[in-house]
Amino acid sequence: MKRTGSVSARPPAMGVLIHYHEIALKGKNRGFFLRQIEANLLLTTRDLDCGPLRRPAGRLFLEMREETSWESLRQRLSWIFGIANFAPAFVMAPNLELLTKRIEEEVSGRSFRSFRVAARRAFKTFPQTSQEINEIIGARVQRICGASVDLTNPDLTIYIELLPHEAFLYFEKISGPGGLPVGTGGTVACLLSGGIDSPVAAYRMMKRGCRVVFVHFHSQPFADRTSQEKAIELVRLLTRYQFASCLYLVPFGEIQQEVVSHVTGRLRVVVYRRLMLRIAEQIAQKEGAKALVTGESLGQVSSQTIENIATIEQASTLPILRPLIGMDKDEITQQGQQIGSYDVSITPDQDCCSMFLSRQVATHTTPREVELAERPLDLERLVAQACSAAHSLELSFPA
Ligand code: ATP
Ligand code: MG
């Protein structure tokens, strides 16, 4: 980032001014949410040569140094849930003359035809009102640059935030991802296939503040490792948002073989899904996760009719969260493209669910008929076997 000379004895420090999102609304829990967003900011920037991080009234300010890469920092901040917006900002004494000089220096190096000044006083003790500040500074800028004032669609906005002991000045406000800081919403376990939907479902839960543990079922040795490699790549991508992830890789092929030999074709998918939930529930309990998450979307495939969803969920005692239930494929795809998971999801793999499948799939099952179909299976043994054969992987970001 460009640094310019100082106008006062103390050069204005540069850093990022961060405004947080819904945390501001959380009343008595505000301290808890703030500590979490601060911890997340420190984690994600730990290799970026910046800091310290401080809390000026209702905001966060992260100092930057000469060595800090603004591009990297900007990208990392766009992955921190809880941030409403952020801006590279100068910080200085809350003095109108100092501010005006600083602004004159800054704007004289820029080309713009129209501008507006957007001053905000966090405390009303400042001698001028926000409108008076806008007018005083606006007149000076006009005199130097000859640009016109445009309050609706200016080329340049000069943002000023005045606190009792310091002022922030910036020219660019960048949108954050919103949501709640990861770590404030408890832990959930997401059933992650290599498909398009489940990584988006995990993302949406993280955005609501959850830490996500991942569970992937594969059919090795009956299939190759492609679905596992995709799951690892997807988790690597999603770890940007939560800094540390645990992925369980669970062999499911032998279980599917047993299902094939005992369960009629039309009910197999529902029985597989129920077994996946039972296994995921054991893993969730071990990891302290309070709910399971799936990428189900109503009516998208035959296992996702309302009847089958109801039959499947009876296999779990944990709540099942389906953040995509009301979204259509285009919306999910768009979100997957936005977060970068889509390109990984569409690479071909040998998915366990496409193996051992029957051509006929029942779309309107009842729990009763599926329980009957499961009778020949030793469910407890199958679940225990899968849990003990599961491998776990730890991923972290920044690596
Ligand atoms: P996705 O794109 O997430 O694979 P889908 O539309 O293909 O979803 P299904 O194959 O019916 O839907 O799977 C529904 C949900 O079941 C998935 O979103 C995921 O949460 C879970 N699931 C399916 N297959 C697996 C798997 N191999 N490992 C882990 N979870 C799975
Ligand atoms: Mg799938």
Side-chain angles (χ1 to χ4, degrees):
M1 163 151 296
K2 191 179 88 166
R3 276 171 192 254
T4 47
S6 63
V7 289
S8 63
R10 257 178 78 231
M14 282 211 67
V16 197
L17 184 66
I18 299 166
H19 292 107
Y20 33 83
H21 199 58
E22 292 174 43
I23 320 173
L25 309 173
K26 296 285 167 188
K28 274 196 239 153
N29 287 330
R30 207 156 157 268
F32 167 65
F33 283 86
L34 261 176
R35 279 192 297 280
Q36 191 64 61
I37 199 170
E38 282 176 339
N40 294 351
L41 278 165
L42 293 177
L43 274 172
T44 199
T45 57
R46 64 191 160 188
D47 59 339
L48 292 186
D49 279 319
C50 56
L53 175 68
R54 51 189 188 83
R55 267 188 208 185
R59 302 146 174 78
L60 293 166
F61 187 74
L62 179 67
E63 278 181 31
M64 289 197 279
R65 304 188 198 140
E66 210 66 68
E67 311 77 50
T68 311
S69 153
W70 166 239
E71 276 319 305
S72 306
L73 184 55
R74 178 184 179 133
Q75 182 150 67
R76 302 277 175 92
L77 296 179
S78 74
W79 296 328
I80 300 289
F81 292 127
I83 294 183
N85 59 65
F86 58 97
F90 295 97
V91 56
M92 66 197 75
N95 171 301
L96 203 52
E97 194 44 40
L98 280 179
L99 260 168
T100 313
K101 279 193 181 146
R102 191 87 195 97
I103 290 167
E104 282 176 2
E105 280 194 9
E106 276 300 308
V107 298
S108 53
R110 295 170 189 251
S111 100
F112 57 99
R113 278 184 303 189
S114 59
F115 75 100
R116 76 180 171 119
V117 184
R120 249 168 70 188
R121 299 178 310 164
F123 294 83
K124 307 301 170 202
T125 44
F126 201 77
Q128 289 84 12
T129 65
S130 300
Q131 187 49 33
E132 284 165 354
I133 299 166
N134 290 345
E135 285 166 11
I136 294 166
I137 294 182
R140 287 275 281 268
V141 171
Q142 245 181 336
R143 210 176 311 139
I144 308 169
C145 306
S148 60
V149 173
D150 180 345
L151 298 182
T152 48
N153 191 24
D155 291 343
L156 180 74
T157 299
I158 301 168
Y159 297 95
I160 300 163
E161 295 187 27
L162 288 153
L163 272 52
H165 304 296
E166 57 190 338
F168 297 99
L169 166 67
Y170 54 97
F171 301 90
E172 185 192 9
K173 189 156 42 174
I174 302 154
S175 293
L180 296 169
V182 167
T184 57
T187 304
V188 295
C190 178
L191 285 81
L192 184 80
S193 66
I196 295 169
D197 308 321
S198 39
V200 175
Y203 170 85
R204 293 188 78 94
M205 294 316 300
M206 289 174 179
K207 187 165 175 179
R208 295 314 298 163
C210 292
R211 261 184 224 297
V212 179
V213 174
F214 298 92
V215 185
H216 173 71
F217 297 91
H218 64 83
S219 294
Q220 230 190 346
F222 307 102
D224 61 19
R225 281 188 49 84
T226 48
S227 84
Q228 293 173 75
E229 281 154 11
K230 274 171 77 174
I232 293 169
E233 197 45 42
L234 288 168
V235 173
R236 199 187 305 284
L237 235 145
L238 290 164
T239 302
R240 289 169 179 172
Y241 305 96
Q242 64 174 8
F243 327 112
S245 300
C246 182
L247 163 65
Y248 283 82
L249 297 166
V250 186
F252 200 60
E254 284 177 18
I255 294 181
Q256 286 177 293
Q257 269 194 324
E258 286 206 31
V259 173
V260 169
S261 47
H262 292 105
V263 176
T264 172
R266 50 185 284 282
L267 295 182
R268 276 178 209 155
V269 173
V270 172
V271 172
Y272 294 154
R273 290 281 178 274
R274 283 164 60 97
L275 275 157
M276 284 183 180
L277 288 188
R278 291 186 181 100
I279 296 162
E281 182 165 340
Q282 296 293 312
I283 294 171
Q285 253 136 25
K286 185 172 155 214
E287 291 287 333
K290 299 287 186 291
L292 301 180
V293 178
T294 73
E296 287 163 312
S297 149
L298 192 62
Q300 197 192 80
V301 288
S302 55
S303 58
Q304 294 171 20
T305 61
I306 198 78
E307 289 84 357
N308 283 352
I309 284 178
T311 304
I312 291 168
E313 84 173 1
Q314 289 217 340
S316 167
T317 61
L318 286 177
I320 299 174
L321 308 176
R322 302 177 183 88
L324 314 186
I325 197 70
M327 290 172 78
D328 64 35
K329 200 74 188 185
D330 288 346
E331 292 168 315
I332 301 169
T333 298
Q334 217 174 20
Q335 180 112 68
Q337 283 167 335
Q338 238 168 38
I339 63 176
S341 60
Y342 179 77
D343 287 342
V344 182
S345 296
I346 58 169
T347 59
D349 68 343
Q350 292 190 338
D351 169 32
C352 72
C353 294
S354 49
M355 308 182 69
F356 307 106
L357 256 190
S358 153
R359 287 221 276 183
Q360 259 196 328
V361 180
T363 48
H364 302 281
T365 59
T366 63
R368 177 89 190 116
E369 71 173 319
V370 176
E371 276 160 24
L372 280 173
E374 285 174 344
R375 277 220 181 131
L377 300 170
D378 183 350
L379 294 173
E380 221 170 287
R381 175 180 57 80
L382 291 177
V383 171
Q385 219 169 286
C387 289
S388 64
H391 282 285
S392 66
L393 274 180
E394 307 279 340
L395 290 96
S396 61
F397 180 86

